[in-house]
Structure formats: C-alpha cells, structure tokens
Amino acid sequence: MKTSINRPPTPDAEEDQDHQPTLQEIINIKMIESGEKERLKELLRERLIECGWRDEMKALCRAFARKKGRNNVTVDDLVQVITPKGRASVPDSVKAELLQRIRTFLTSVSI
Amino acid sequence: MGSHAQLSSQFFGDLLDSIIVDVASECHRIARLGLDRNLEEEEEELRLSAQARVRVADPSNSGEANSKYVVDIFGQTHPPVANEIFDCMNCGRSIMAGRFAPHLEKCMGKGRKARLKVTRSSTAVQNRYSQGSPVSTYSPYSNSTSTSRLSNGTSSGAGEEYSNGTFQEP
C-alpha cells in the first residue's frame, strides 16, 4: 500500500544522554507544560481562518489534487505545495500579534 | 536581531509549520475521500443530466397527460387551453384562442343558429346553400359584390383558406 506520509527515523536513545537542552528546547518544554503552546496555536489557527489564509491554502491543495489525480496525492506533496506560499502570506498584523504574545511569555518565564 | 526576537520568530515559524501540516493533512483526507468533488460544477451537471435522462425515459411521464405541469426548456409552463384573447374577424367578439375553432364553427354557419344571421352575402347565395349543407354562407364562387371578411384581404376566388378547416369546398 502506498505510504502517504514520510516519517523521519526515530532517533536512538543513547546518543542523547549527554545532550544539553538548547534554549529552544527549554522554551518548547515550558510552552507545552504551561499550556501556552496550545493556546498560541489555537489563536494563530483562528486568525488564519478569519483572514482567508486557510481557504487559500485549501484552494491550492484542491488545484494540485485535481491536476495530479486525487488518489495519487500524499500529505508530503501538499505540505510542499503550500509551505512557500503559506509562510509568505501570513498577514503582518497576525504575525505581530503572535510574536508579541510569545515575547511576553519569554519574559514571564525569565528567559 | 535580539535573542528574544530570534527565539520568538523561530517559535512562531514552528507554530505556522505545524498548522500548515494540519491543513495539508485535512486536504489530503478530503481529496482521497472525494469529498471535494461534490462542489465541482461538472459533477453537478452530470448528476442533473442523468436525472433528466431518467425522467425522459420514464413512460409514465408522457407529455399529454401531465401537460398542465410540464415545464419546457425555458422553464415555462403552458396551460392546456391556449388563453390568449383576440377579436373574431367574423363577428367581432372577443374570443379565447383555444376556443376559436368551435366558435368559428358556430359563427360561420356550421351550427343551426348561425345560418339565421343576416350576412352581407346576397340572399340568392344564401338560399342556394341553405339546405342542410355544412358549407357556410360564404361561397368561394359567389358572384356577389361582397368580399369575405375572413379572408384577410384576398378577394373571393377559388379556394379561400381557413386555417382550422371548417370551410369546405362545395
């Protein structure tokens, strides 16, 4: 059966034992544990729906599926199709709002 | 770029990528399940034309029986009796189009009463054709000076035409 998702191989456990968590990873953990990551993701999702971004992405996917044939489409295909446009077309106001929230969080956890 | 700004930006990017994967996954599902096809116009057209074909092929939908409710290709319905009203050129009355032929029969002389009407034809002609003949008082071979009012301007001669065929050549 054709796979429709490419998964990177699971990393071996032993290699990471001396590993110091990066700042990035620390923030990620704090974000998840406090529930802020979930809230931020929901906020971003809502804003992207409101401004029509999601509809645009769905239209791109539909067009691609029609061209390639809907049974030949993989999730990776669609991610590749919408990532460049998706990253570039987030409204500035939405990006600013999210960045502001993230910065506030960073300050609040003294990073 | 300050480290806070950099970290924020990176984190935002990760959030966005995660949402992109969600959208891609949902669209993948819609594509594979064919849920999107319902919105496509050509599918709609195919379905409507298949429905129409079924309706036409169905023998119980014959045009005559249901002509009251049948709709033509422009979406119009027509009443079983034509209901446009105009004036009869013979007697001048207002007649409904669908009732014109029976009216004309009476009006022009098929009926018993019509023959008693005073007409512009000469009485000689009237007498000649008055004995039970279904022919009207307007003879095509009339030597009277009258012109038939039904003829739309053609002078009386051989074979004047009446569109609903009530006139007979003698």
Side-chain angles (χ1 to χ4, degrees):
Chain A
M1 180 173 145
K2 184 175 174 161
T3 57
S4 58
I5 298 180
N6 277 344
R7 299 191 60 162
T10 311
D12 293 334
E14 308 91 62
E15 286 176 24
D16 284 349
Q17 269 166 15
D18 308 324
H19 177 70
Q20 286 285 16
T22 64
L23 200 50
Q24 190 73 20
E25 287 165 339
I26 293 171
I27 293 169
N28 201 29
I29 292 168
K30 285 188 188 278
M31 279 269 191
I32 293 171
E33 285 177 345
S34 65
E36 184 69 3
K37 183 169 187 185
E38 191 65 34
R39 281 190 291 271
L40 287 174
K41 189 172 174 186
E42 277 312 303
L43 176 63
L44 181 55
R45 194 181 277 135
E46 198 180 307
R47 291 285 180 264
L48 291 176
I49 290 173
E50 283 169 1
C51 69
W53 177 96
R54 188 160 173 274
D55 293 332
E56 255 184 77
M57 299 303 115
K58 284 180 77 170
L60 289 174
C61 292
R62 261 202 304 271
F64 181 83
R66 208 173 293 149
K67 213 172 46 170
K68 198 182 176 196
R70 61 180 184 88
N71 282 319
N72 298 333
V73 172
T74 67
V75 176
D76 287 331
D77 285 342
L78 295 180
V79 168
Q80 278 178 31
V81 164
I82 64 176
T83 293
K85 184 89 197 287
R87 281 188 186 153
S89 64
V90 176
D92 291 338
S93 59
V94 173
K95 191 167 180 181
E97 184 184 358
L98 267 293
L99 287 175
Q100 177 61 45
R101 285 271 300 248
I102 296 168
R103 274 199 297 265
T104 306
F105 179 81
L106 292 178
T107 316
S108 74
V109 296
S110 327
I111 286 185
Chain B
M1 200 185 198
S3 63
H4 263 211
Q6 193 174 15
L7 287 169
S8 312
S9 206
Q10 200 157 4
F11 196 79
F12 174 79
D14 289 343
L15 275 182
L16 186 58
D17 284 345
S18 154
I19 289 180
I20 284 175
V21 170
D22 290 348
V23 172
S25 176
E26 185 180 336
C27 291
H28 173 263
R29 174 179 174 269
I30 288 172
R32 294 293 284 247
L33 292 180
L35 298 178
D36 219 2
R37 302 292 274 177
N38 291 340
L39 305 175
E40 274 202 11
E41 288 167 26
E42 49 175 308
E43 291 279 321
E44 191 65 35
E45 297 267 329
L46 286 173
R47 209 179 322 132
L48 287 175
S49 75
Q51 280 177 19
R53 230 171 286 150
V54 166
R55 230 178 292 136
V56 166
D58 186 354
S60 67
N61 283 348
S62 77
E64 291 306 312
N66 300 343
S67 57
K68 245 192 220 172
Y69 306 109
V70 155
V71 162
D72 71 15
I73 59 170
F74 299 110
Q76 300 169 320
T77 48
H78 301 277
V81 178
N83 56 11
E84 236 182 67
I85 293 183
F86 67 101
D87 294 337
C88 169
M89 345 43 201
N90 192 30
C91 64
R93 300 233 288 272
S94 287
I95 307 292
M96 210 172 79
R99 298 293 309 165
F100 185 56
H103 162 80
L104 208 53
E105 281 184 334
K106 295 192 199 70
C107 176
M108 281 177 56
K110 176 199 119 178
R112 183 178 53 85
K113 294 205 172 145
R115 254 179 261 123
L116 301 176
K117 280 198 314 203
V118 175
T119 66
R120 284 165 65 193
S121 303
S122 70
T123 39
V125 174
Q126 237 176 336
N127 289 341
R128 204 189 313 160
Y129 288 94
S130 66
Q131 285 150 20
S133 139
V135 173
S136 82
T137 50
Y138 290 88
S139 160
Y141 305 113
S142 160
N143 49 15
S144 73
T145 52
S146 75
T147 49
S148 165
R149 279 189 281 157
L150 284 157
S151 62
N152 290 344
T154 61
S155 60
S156 56
E160 294 175 36
E161 286 174 15
Y162 300 96
S163 57
N164 32 16
T166 55
F167 183 84
Q168 292 178 31
E169 303 273 342

